[in-house]
Every structure is written in structure tokens, then in C-alpha cells.
Amino acid sequence: MVSRSSAARCYALVPCAGAGERAGAGGPKQYRAVGGRSVVWHTLAALSGVSRLAGTLVVLSAADGEFERHAGEAACWTARVGGATRAASVANGLAALRERGVRDDDWVLVHDAARCLVQPSDIERLIEACEHDAVGGLLALPVADTLKRGSPGDAERVALTLDRRNLWQAQTPQMFRLGLLGEALARAGDAVTDEASAVELLGHSPRLVRGSLENFKLTWPADFALAERLLRTRA
Ligand code: CTP
Ligand code: MG
């Protein structure tokens, strides 16, 4: 039996350096209020409910003057090393974790600041499913709806219907060992929109762990009212 003291160490890395353009609020969406607290407050509260996490690092943009006002009491490290893309913010965050003593074989759970409805139980399920895996994995949801591709000439007309079998929507956290993820992001560059796709480019197959519909990423203006309603049902 593996004792807790020899269990692999897990850390969270929270990219929180985006501009939130699609949310159209005129400021970073991670600092908008939902249910009386900022988006990132809820995110950090969920992470602080996971006892397996040995530490959390939040990646902020260099010019961020708001985080401390919105973060609340949750204990975390911050690094003002946000990049031009999410991938760059995560890669810079990995370097900041290394500076704080996190090692290549420690697990890093990358979780979007904008997914503030994640629950500690979702994160614990991911850790349990992946901590003995050779690669790691991510929370994801099997696609339920029929998928259409809009036509290049007219995005509001169907060009074709896609086969949804074996399709999943990737969520976060995404959990990989620091060494593997650092190498994957260095090779993949800035274009990847999640950690798993960088790891896939190295030829690995990350594990898909069923997530929850509630763990959606606040992206569009209407998402904030939906988040507010969901939070109300949790009180
Ligand atoms: N993020 C980041 N650094 C970037 C871009 C995004 O740390 N250069 C973070 C965001 O703060 C967010 C997460 O990555 O928590 C997911 O990104 P996304 O939902 O795309 O957020 P934004 O980039 O802020 O939004 P948009 O794409 O609509 O501008
Ligand atoms: Mg973005």
C-alpha cells in the first residue's frame, strides 16, 4: 500500500492573465462579480477545498493591479508573468513553479480562472484517475448534441454535420507532470488552446475523465447570469 507521505505531490496552476474579450465586459472577466464574489474568488475557493493540492500558483498579467482586491483569503502564490496567449501564460507559470521548488515528477493541475463553478469533488476525481497514470489527463464531457459546421461563405448556414461519436469537450483541470508538460508546451508553441493538445503532439494519449456540465468556462456575456443561478443553488 502506498502511504500518503510517498504519494506524488500535486500543485494547481491557474492562468488568470486573459483580457476576456468575448465576455464583452470592458475588463478581465476573472474579476467580474458573480454571486457577490469575483469569478477568481470562487475558483480559488474550490481549489482550496482540495486537500491533495500542496500549493496553488496564479499567473497574472504584468500590469495586473486588481487580483489582490478580488482574491479573498485563499492561500496562493502569484507570478506576474502572463503571456500573450494562454499557452504562454501556462509555460511561464511552470517556470515560476520550478523556482518555488516544484519538481519535474510533481503533478501540475492547470485550471482556468474563468471556470469558477468547478467543485472540489471534480478535481479529486481527476487526481484519483490520473495519479498512477503514465501520461495524465483532463476533465472532459462526451458531446451530447449533434454537431454542425458552418459554411465558410456563410457562417449561419450548415455546411455539414459532424459525427459526434468519440467526441469530447475538453475542460480543466488538466493534470500532467511538470517535466512532461514543460517539454510539451516548449515544442507546441503558442497555438495550442489546452495542455492536453500539447502533450498529444508528443505522441501521448491523455486520459479522459468525465467532468460535470456545471464546470463550464465563463466565456460569453450570458454565461455570468447562468453562473449566478447555479451558485445560488449551492448555498
Ligand atoms: N489566460 C491567460 N493568459 C492569456 C489568455 C488567457 O492566463 N494570454 C487565461 C484566462 O484568464 C482564463 C483562461 O486562460 O482564465 C482561459 O482563457 P479564455 O477563456 O480564452 O479567457 P480570455 O482569454 O480572458 O477570454 P477571451 O479569449 O474571450 O479574450
Ligand atoms: Mg482567450
Side-chain angles (χ1 to χ4, degrees):
M1 168 143 171
V2 179
S3 75
R4 176 47 53 97
S5 62
S6 66
R9 296 192 303 173
C10 297
Y11 293 85
L13 191 169
V14 180
C16 187
E21 279 170 21
R22 285 170 291 176
K29 62 188 175 185
Q30 54 271 34
Y31 302 134
R32 267 185 70 175
V34 284
R37 305 280 196 174
S38 69
V39 166
V40 71
W41 184 95
H42 294 288
T43 306
L44 294 176
L47 290 167
S48 68
V50 180
S51 59
R52 280 297 307 274
L53 290 174
T56 294
L57 175 91
V58 184
V59 177
L60 305 171
S61 73
D64 191 304
E66 289 190 82
F67 175 77
E68 281 74 14
R69 185 152 37 95
H70 291 289
E73 302 299 307
C76 60
W77 296 311
T78 55
R80 282 178 163 70
V81 295
T85 62
R86 182 182 176 285
S89 294
V90 172
N92 295 345
L94 292 180
L97 281 175
R98 272 185 214 281
E99 286 167 15
R100 288 164 175 80
V102 181
R103 298 184 302 244
D104 275 354
D105 61 346
D106 291 329
W107 291 103
V108 178
L109 282 76
V110 179
H111 182 67
D112 294 325
R115 278 182 208 272
C116 66
L117 289 154
V118 72
Q119 307 245 38
S121 56
D122 298 323
I123 303 171
E124 283 156 3
R125 218 170 49 254
L126 178 71
I127 293 174
E128 268 171 39
C130 294
E131 67 177 327
H132 302 297
D133 194 278
V135 179
L138 63 147
L139 290 180
L141 272 187
V143 170
D145 295 317
T146 302
L147 293 175
K148 310 286 185 188
R149 187 188 296 284
S151 60
D154 181 351
E156 291 180 1
R157 290 211 168 264
V158 174
L160 58 92
T161 298
L162 297 162
D163 184 352
R164 70 165 178 240
R165 277 174 300 177
N166 292 324
L167 286 183
W168 295 68
Q169 281 176 255
Q171 301 184 334
T172 72
Q174 302 203 357
M175 170 171 170
F176 298 101
R177 292 187 190 270
L178 184 144
L180 176 70
L181 182 55
E183 183 192 348
L185 288 172
R187 294 245 195 121
D190 265 7
V192 290
T193 53
D194 74 346
E195 291 59 57
S197 48
V199 168
E200 291 153 38
L201 287 170
L202 291 182
H204 300 297
S205 292
R207 182 176 288 276
L208 291 160
V209 179
R210 194 180 278 252
S212 155
L213 190 54
E214 293 196 8
N215 181 24
F216 68 92
K217 181 156 65 78
L218 277 70
T219 303
W220 309 105
D223 293 345
F224 294 82
L226 177 58
E228 185 110 29
R229 279 159 55 199
L230 286 167
L231 284 170
R232 230 177 279 143
T233 66
R234 291 184 183 176

